[in-house]
PDB file of all heavy atoms in Angstrom:
ATOM      1  N   VAL B   6     -19.079   6.945  11.880  1.00 98.00           N
ATOM      2  CA  VAL B   6     -17.670   7.318  12.064  1.00 98.00           C
ATOM      3  C   VAL B   6     -17.567   8.846  12.120  1.00 98.00           C
ATOM      4  O   VAL B   6     -16.914   9.421  12.999  1.00 98.00           O
ATOM      5  CB  VAL B   6     -16.791   6.760  10.907  1.00 98.00           C
ATOM      6  CG1 VAL B   6     -15.364   7.291  10.996  1.00 98.00           C
ATOM      7  CG2 VAL B   6     -16.808   5.233  10.916  1.00 98.00           C
ATOM      8  N   VAL B   7     -18.246   9.499  11.189  1.00 98.00           N
ATOM      9  CA  VAL B   7     -18.212  10.967  11.131  1.00 98.00           C
ATOM     10  C   VAL B   7     -18.763  11.559  12.421  1.00 98.00           C
ATOM     11  O   VAL B   7     -18.173  12.472  13.008  1.00 98.00           O
ATOM     12  CB  VAL B   7     -19.007  11.473   9.897  1.00 98.00           C
ATOM     13  CG1 VAL B   7     -19.247  12.973   9.969  1.00 98.00           C
ATOM     14  CG2 VAL B   7     -18.267  11.110   8.620  1.00 98.00           C
ATOM     15  N   GLU B   8     -19.876  11.008  12.893  1.00 98.00           N
ATOM     16  CA  GLU B   8     -20.485  11.529  14.122  1.00 98.00           C
ATOM     17  C   GLU B   8     -19.574  11.328  15.329  1.00 98.00           C
ATOM     18  O   GLU B   8     -19.340  12.248  16.105  1.00 98.00           O
ATOM     19  CB  GLU B   8     -21.822  10.813  14.391  1.00 98.00           C
ATOM     20  CG  GLU B   8     -22.929  11.307  13.480  1.00 98.00           C
ATOM     21  CD  GLU B   8     -24.160  10.379  13.506  1.00 98.00           C
ATOM     22  OE1 GLU B   8     -24.209   9.448  14.359  1.00 98.00           O
ATOM     23  OE2 GLU B   8     -25.038  10.594  12.668  1.00 98.00           O
ATOM     24  N   LEU B   9     -19.045  10.113  15.460  1.00 98.00           N
ATOM     25  CA  LEU B   9     -18.233   9.790  16.638  1.00 98.00           C
ATOM     26  C   LEU B   9     -16.933  10.600  16.692  1.00 98.00           C
ATOM     27  O   LEU B   9     -16.433  10.915  17.760  1.00 98.00           O
ATOM     28  CB  LEU B   9     -17.902   8.298  16.660  1.00 98.00           C
ATOM     29  CG  LEU B   9     -19.068   7.355  16.946  1.00 98.00           C
ATOM     30  CD1 LEU B   9     -18.648   5.912  16.698  1.00 98.00           C
ATOM     31  CD2 LEU B   9     -19.573   7.530  18.378  1.00 98.00           C
ATOM     32  N   LEU B  10     -16.399  10.914  15.533  1.00 98.00           N
ATOM     33  CA  LEU B  10     -15.103  11.615  15.501  1.00 98.00           C
ATOM     34  C   LEU B  10     -15.254  13.111  15.209  1.00 98.00           C
ATOM     35  O   LEU B  10     -14.269  13.816  15.063  1.00 98.00           O
ATOM     36  CB  LEU B  10     -14.186  10.977  14.445  1.00 98.00           C
ATOM     37  CG  LEU B  10     -13.844   9.498  14.632  1.00 98.00           C
ATOM     38  CD1 LEU B  10     -12.927   9.014  13.528  1.00 98.00           C
ATOM     39  CD2 LEU B  10     -13.206   9.253  15.997  1.00 98.00           C
ATOM     40  N   ASP B  11     -16.487  13.592  15.150  1.00 98.00           N
ATOM     41  CA  ASP B  11     -16.749  14.991  14.751  1.00 98.00           C
ATOM     42  C   ASP B  11     -15.934  15.309  13.497  1.00 98.00           C
ATOM     43  O   ASP B  11     -15.247  16.335  13.435  1.00 98.00           O
ATOM     44  CB  ASP B  11     -16.345  15.989  15.855  1.00 98.00           C
ATOM     45  CG  ASP B  11     -16.852  15.595  17.228  1.00 98.00           C
ATOM     46  OD1 ASP B  11     -18.080  15.445  17.363  1.00 98.00           O
ATOM     47  OD2 ASP B  11     -16.023  15.389  18.141  1.00 98.00           O
ATOM     48  N   ALA B  12     -15.993  14.414  12.540  1.00 98.00           N
ATOM     49  CA  ALA B  12     -15.100  14.532  11.379  1.00 98.00           C
ATOM     50  C   ALA B  12     -15.654  15.447  10.294  1.00 98.00           C
ATOM     51  O   ALA B  12     -16.863  15.612  10.152  1.00 98.00           O
ATOM     52  CB  ALA B  12     -14.845  13.141  10.794  1.00 98.00           C
ATOM     53  N   ASN B  13     -14.735  16.028   9.551  1.00 97.00           N
ATOM     54  CA  ASN B  13     -15.104  16.773   8.341  1.00 97.00           C
ATOM     55  C   ASN B  13     -15.007  15.821   7.154  1.00 97.00           C
ATOM     56  O   ASN B  13     -14.107  14.975   7.105  1.00 97.00           O
ATOM     57  CB  ASN B  13     -14.127  17.920   8.100  1.00 97.00           C
ATOM     58  CG  ASN B  13     -14.241  18.976   9.180  1.00 97.00           C
ATOM     59  OD1 ASN B  13     -15.335  19.413   9.525  1.00 97.00           O
ATOM     60  ND2 ASN B  13     -13.098  19.365   9.724  1.00 97.00           N
ATOM     61  N   ILE B  14     -15.894  16.021   6.205  1.00 97.00           N
ATOM     62  CA  ILE B  14     -15.883  15.203   4.988  1.00 97.00           C
ATOM     63  C   ILE B  14     -15.186  16.011   3.904  1.00 97.00           C
ATOM     64  O   ILE B  14     -15.602  17.132   3.606  1.00 97.00           O
ATOM     65  CB  ILE B  14     -17.326  14.867   4.555  1.00 97.00           C
ATOM     66  CG1 ILE B  14     -18.019  14.086   5.676  1.00 97.00           C
ATOM     67  CG2 ILE B  14     -17.340  14.097   3.241  1.00 97.00           C
ATOM     68  CD1 ILE B  14     -19.532  14.053   5.564  1.00 97.00           C
ATOM     69  N   LEU B  15     -14.095  15.467   3.356  1.00 97.00           N
ATOM     70  CA  LEU B  15     -13.261  16.277   2.465  1.00 97.00           C
ATOM     71  C   LEU B  15     -13.373  15.953   0.981  1.00 97.00           C
ATOM     72  O   LEU B  15     -12.774  16.641   0.160  1.00 97.00           O
ATOM     73  CB  LEU B  15     -11.792  16.169   2.892  1.00 97.00           C
ATOM     74  CG  LEU B  15     -11.486  16.577   4.341  1.00 97.00           C
ATOM     75  CD1 LEU B  15      -9.996  16.468   4.612  1.00 97.00           C
ATOM     76  CD2 LEU B  15     -11.963  17.983   4.646  1.00 97.00           C
ATOM     77  N   ASN B  16     -14.105  14.900   0.639  1.00 95.00           N
ATOM     78  CA  ASN B  16     -14.304  14.673  -0.813  1.00 95.00           C
ATOM     79  C   ASN B  16     -15.662  14.047  -1.085  1.00 95.00           C
ATOM     80  O   ASN B  16     -16.424  13.765  -0.160  1.00 95.00           O
ATOM     81  CB  ASN B  16     -13.154  13.858  -1.429  1.00 95.00           C
ATOM     82  CG  ASN B  16     -13.166  12.405  -0.985  1.00 95.00           C
ATOM     83  OD1 ASN B  16     -13.906  12.013  -0.085  1.00 95.00           O
ATOM     84  ND2 ASN B  16     -12.340  11.602  -1.630  1.00 95.00           N
ATOM     85  N   ASP B  17     -15.940  13.824  -2.372  1.00 93.00           N
ATOM     86  CA  ASP B  17     -17.266  13.351  -2.769  1.00 93.00           C
ATOM     87  C   ASP B  17     -17.410  11.843  -2.717  1.00 93.00           C
ATOM     88  O   ASP B  17     -18.465  11.319  -3.043  1.00 93.00           O
ATOM     89  CB  ASP B  17     -17.566  13.799  -4.208  1.00 93.00           C
ATOM     90  CG  ASP B  17     -17.616  15.305  -4.307  1.00 93.00           C
ATOM     91  OD1 ASP B  17     -17.893  15.948  -3.270  1.00 93.00           O
ATOM     92  OD2 ASP B  17     -17.370  15.830  -5.407  1.00 93.00           O
ATOM     93  N   CYS B  18     -16.343  11.138  -2.368  1.00 95.00           N
ATOM     94  CA  CYS B  18     -16.437   9.677  -2.339  1.00 95.00           C
ATOM     95  C   CYS B  18     -17.141   9.194  -1.077  1.00 95.00           C
ATOM     96  O   CYS B  18     -17.406   8.011  -0.917  1.00 95.00           O
ATOM     97  CB  CYS B  18     -15.052   9.046  -2.449  1.00 95.00           C
ATOM     98  SG  CYS B  18     -14.244   9.508  -3.969  1.00 95.00           S
ATOM     99  N   TYR B  19     -17.441  10.131  -0.190  1.00 94.00           N
ATOM    100  CA  TYR B  19     -18.138   9.766   1.042  1.00 94.00           C
ATOM    101  C   TYR B  19     -19.580   9.403   0.737  1.00 94.00           C
ATOM    102  O   TYR B  19     -20.267  10.102   0.000  1.00 94.00           O
ATOM    103  CB  TYR B  19     -18.116  10.954   2.012  1.00 94.00           C
ATOM    104  CG  TYR B  19     -19.022  10.786   3.205  1.00 94.00           C
ATOM    105  CD1 TYR B  19     -18.609  10.065   4.318  1.00 94.00           C
ATOM    106  CD2 TYR B  19     -20.307  11.325   3.202  1.00 94.00           C
ATOM    107  CE1 TYR B  19     -19.455   9.894   5.408  1.00 94.00           C
ATOM    108  CE2 TYR B  19     -21.161  11.160   4.292  1.00 94.00           C
ATOM    109  CZ  TYR B  19     -20.728  10.446   5.388  1.00 94.00           C
ATOM    110  OH  TYR B  19     -21.558  10.268   6.455  1.00 94.00           O
ATOM    111  N   SER B  20     -20.023   8.289   1.312  1.00 94.00           N
ATOM    112  CA  SER B  20     -21.440   7.976   1.276  1.00 94.00           C
ATOM    113  C   SER B  20     -21.772   7.517   2.680  1.00 94.00           C
ATOM    114  O   SER B  20     -21.051   6.698   3.263  1.00 94.00           O
ATOM    115  CB  SER B  20     -21.701   6.888   0.242  1.00 94.00           C
ATOM    116  OG  SER B  20     -22.853   6.171   0.632  1.00 94.00           O
ATOM    117  N   GLN B  21     -22.830   8.056   3.249  1.00 93.00           N
ATOM    118  CA  GLN B  21     -23.112   7.768   4.662  1.00 93.00           C
ATOM    119  C   GLN B  21     -23.376   6.293   4.922  1.00 93.00           C
ATOM    120  O   GLN B  21     -23.192   5.797   6.022  1.00 93.00           O
ATOM    121  CB  GLN B  21     -24.256   8.633   5.171  1.00 93.00           C
ATOM    122  CG  GLN B  21     -25.544   8.480   4.387  1.00 93.00           C
ATOM    123  CD  GLN B  21     -26.646   9.319   5.003  1.00 93.00           C
ATOM    124  OE1 GLN B  21     -26.367  10.281   5.717  1.00 93.00           O
ATOM    125  NE2 GLN B  21     -27.886   8.966   4.756  1.00 93.00           N
ATOM    126  N   ASP B  22     -23.797   5.584   3.878  1.00 94.00           N
ATOM    127  CA  ASP B  22     -24.114   4.168   4.051  1.00 94.00           C
ATOM    128  C   ASP B  22     -22.945   3.228   3.800  1.00 94.00           C
ATOM    129  O   ASP B  22     -23.086   2.020   3.954  1.00 94.00           O
ATOM    130  CB  ASP B  22     -25.278   3.785   3.140  1.00 94.00           C
ATOM    131  CG  ASP B  22     -26.557   4.472   3.597  1.00 94.00           C
ATOM    132  OD1 ASP B  22     -26.722   4.625   4.828  1.00 94.00           O
ATOM    133  OD2 ASP B  22     -27.350   4.882   2.741  1.00 94.00           O
ATOM    134  N   THR B  23     -21.803   3.764   3.415  1.00 94.00           N
ATOM    135  CA  THR B  23     -20.644   2.887   3.219  1.00 94.00           C
ATOM    136  C   THR B  23     -20.344   2.186   4.538  1.00 94.00           C
ATOM    137  O   THR B  23     -20.298   2.816   5.592  1.00 94.00           O
ATOM    138  CB  THR B  23     -19.409   3.708   2.770  1.00 94.00           C
ATOM    139  OG1 THR B  23     -19.720   4.320   1.528  1.00 94.00           O
ATOM    140  CG2 THR B  23     -18.174   2.820   2.610  1.00 94.00           C
ATOM    141  N   GLU B  24     -20.170   0.875   4.446  1.00 95.00           N
ATOM    142  CA  GLU B  24     -19.984   0.075   5.656  1.00 95.00           C
ATOM    143  C   GLU B  24     -18.498  -0.246   5.822  1.00 95.00           C
ATOM    144  O   GLU B  24     -17.872  -0.766   4.898  1.00 95.00           O
ATOM    145  CB  GLU B  24     -20.796  -1.217   5.469  1.00 95.00           C
ATOM    146  CG  GLU B  24     -20.870  -2.122   6.664  1.00 95.00           C
ATOM    147  CD  GLU B  24     -21.915  -1.716   7.694  1.00 95.00           C
ATOM    148  OE1 GLU B  24     -22.954  -1.141   7.303  1.00 95.00           O
ATOM    149  OE2 GLU B  24     -21.672  -1.959   8.883  1.00 95.00           O
ATOM    150  N   VAL B  25     -17.930   0.079   6.978  1.00 96.00           N
ATOM    151  CA  VAL B  25     -16.564  -0.368   7.238  1.00 96.00           C
ATOM    152  C   VAL B  25     -16.610  -1.482   8.285  1.00 96.00           C
ATOM    153  O   VAL B  25     -17.354  -1.413   9.249  1.00 96.00           O
ATOM    154  CB  VAL B  25     -15.608   0.784   7.674  1.00 96.00           C
ATOM    155  CG1 VAL B  25     -15.294   1.678   6.486  1.00 96.00           C
ATOM    156  CG2 VAL B  25     -16.164   1.590   8.821  1.00 96.00           C
ATOM    157  N   LEU B  26     -15.844  -2.541   8.038  1.00 95.00           N
ATOM    158  CA  LEU B  26     -15.910  -3.727   8.894  1.00 95.00           C
ATOM    159  C   LEU B  26     -14.718  -3.831   9.829  1.00 95.00           C
ATOM    160  O   LEU B  26     -14.717  -4.621  10.764  1.00 95.00           O
ATOM    161  CB  LEU B  26     -15.982  -4.985   8.019  1.00 95.00           C
ATOM    162  CG  LEU B  26     -17.150  -5.044   7.031  1.00 95.00           C
ATOM    163  CD1 LEU B  26     -17.068  -6.311   6.189  1.00 95.00           C
ATOM    164  CD2 LEU B  26     -18.487  -4.983   7.766  1.00 95.00           C
ATOM    165  N   SER B  27     -13.684  -3.044   9.552  1.00 95.00           N
ATOM    166  CA  SER B  27     -12.472  -3.126  10.367  1.00 95.00           C
ATOM    167  C   SER B  27     -11.740  -1.791  10.244  1.00 95.00           C
ATOM    168  O   SER B  27     -12.038  -0.999   9.360  1.00 95.00           O
ATOM    169  CB  SER B  27     -11.589  -4.263   9.868  1.00 95.00           C
ATOM    170  OG  SER B  27     -11.314  -4.078   8.500  1.00 95.00           O
ATOM    171  N   ALA B  28     -10.773  -1.578  11.149  1.00 96.00           N
ATOM    172  CA  ALA B  28     -10.025  -0.331  11.091  1.00 96.00           C
ATOM    173  C   ALA B  28      -8.582  -0.570  11.474  1.00 96.00           C
ATOM    174  O   ALA B  28      -8.266  -1.525  12.184  1.00 96.00           O
ATOM    175  CB  ALA B  28     -10.647   0.709  12.023  1.00 96.00           C
ATOM    176  N   CYS B  29      -7.728   0.328  10.981  1.00 95.00           N
ATOM    177  CA  CYS B  29      -6.306   0.212  11.243  1.00 95.00           C
ATOM    178  C   CYS B  29      -5.804   1.619  11.559  1.00 95.00           C
ATOM    179  O   CYS B  29      -5.995   2.535  10.760  1.00 95.00           O
ATOM    180  CB  CYS B  29      -5.659  -0.345   9.977  1.00 95.00           C
ATOM    181  SG  CYS B  29      -3.905  -0.582  10.075  1.00 95.00           S
ATOM    182  N   GLY B  30      -5.214   1.814  12.745  1.00 96.00           N
ATOM    183  CA  GLY B  30      -4.712   3.128  13.130  1.00 96.00           C
ATOM    184  C   GLY B  30      -3.199   3.087  13.127  1.00 96.00           C
ATOM    185  O   GLY B  30      -2.607   2.401  13.952  1.00 96.00           O
ATOM    186  N   CYS B  31      -2.562   3.786  12.183  1.00 94.00           N
ATOM    187  CA  CYS B  31      -1.141   3.565  11.986  1.00 94.00           C
ATOM    188  C   CYS B  31      -0.481   4.677  11.166  1.00 94.00           C
ATOM    189  O   CYS B  31      -1.085   5.211  10.259  1.00 94.00           O
ATOM    190  CB  CYS B  31      -1.000   2.254  11.226  1.00 94.00           C
ATOM    191  SG  CYS B  31       0.624   1.575  11.340  1.00 94.00           S
ATOM    192  N   ASP B  32       0.775   4.961  11.514  1.00 94.00           N
ATOM    193  CA  ASP B  32       1.538   5.933  10.724  1.00 94.00           C
ATOM    194  C   ASP B  32       2.611   5.261   9.876  1.00 94.00           C
ATOM    195  O   ASP B  32       3.334   5.929   9.152  1.00 94.00           O
ATOM    196  CB  ASP B  32       2.218   6.965  11.645  1.00 94.00           C
ATOM    197  CG  ASP B  32       1.200   7.915  12.245  1.00 94.00           C
ATOM    198  OD1 ASP B  32       0.029   7.863  11.848  1.00 94.00           O
ATOM    199  OD2 ASP B  32       1.587   8.708  13.121  1.00 94.00           O
ATOM    200  N   LEU B  33       2.745   3.947  10.001  1.00 94.00           N
ATOM    201  CA  LEU B  33       3.738   3.232   9.202  1.00 94.00           C
ATOM    202  C   LEU B  33       3.025   2.418   8.133  1.00 94.00           C
ATOM    203  O   LEU B  33       2.263   1.504   8.435  1.00 94.00           O
ATOM    204  CB  LEU B  33       4.588   2.323  10.085  1.00 94.00           C
ATOM    205  CG  LEU B  33       5.677   3.049  10.878  1.00 94.00           C
ATOM    206  CD1 LEU B  33       6.294   2.130  11.900  1.00 94.00           C
ATOM    207  CD2 LEU B  33       6.752   3.616   9.967  1.00 94.00           C
ATOM    208  N   MET B  34       3.264   2.784   6.881  1.00 94.00           N
ATOM    209  CA  MET B  34       2.473   2.212   5.794  1.00 94.00           C
ATOM    210  C   MET B  34       2.672   0.712   5.618  1.00 94.00           C
ATOM    211  O   MET B  34       1.742   0.001   5.268  1.00 94.00           O
ATOM    212  CB  MET B  34       2.749   2.965   4.485  1.00 94.00           C
ATOM    213  CG  MET B  34       2.232   4.397   4.519  1.00 94.00           C
ATOM    214  SD  MET B  34       0.437   4.509   4.834  1.00 94.00           S
ATOM    215  CE  MET B  34       0.378   5.209   6.461  1.00 94.00           C
TER     216      MET B  34
END
Side-chain angles (χ1 to χ4, degrees):
Chain B
V6 173
V7 168
E8 284 166 9
L9 290 170
L10 300 180
D11 313 303
N13 293 312
I14 300 163
L15 303 182
N16 71 350
D17 297 335
C18 300
Y19 169 83
S20 152
Q21 57 177 22
D22 292 325
T23 298
E24 187 81 31
V25 288
L26 303 178
S27 56
C29 180
C31 198
D32 288 353
L33 282 170
M34 293 302 111

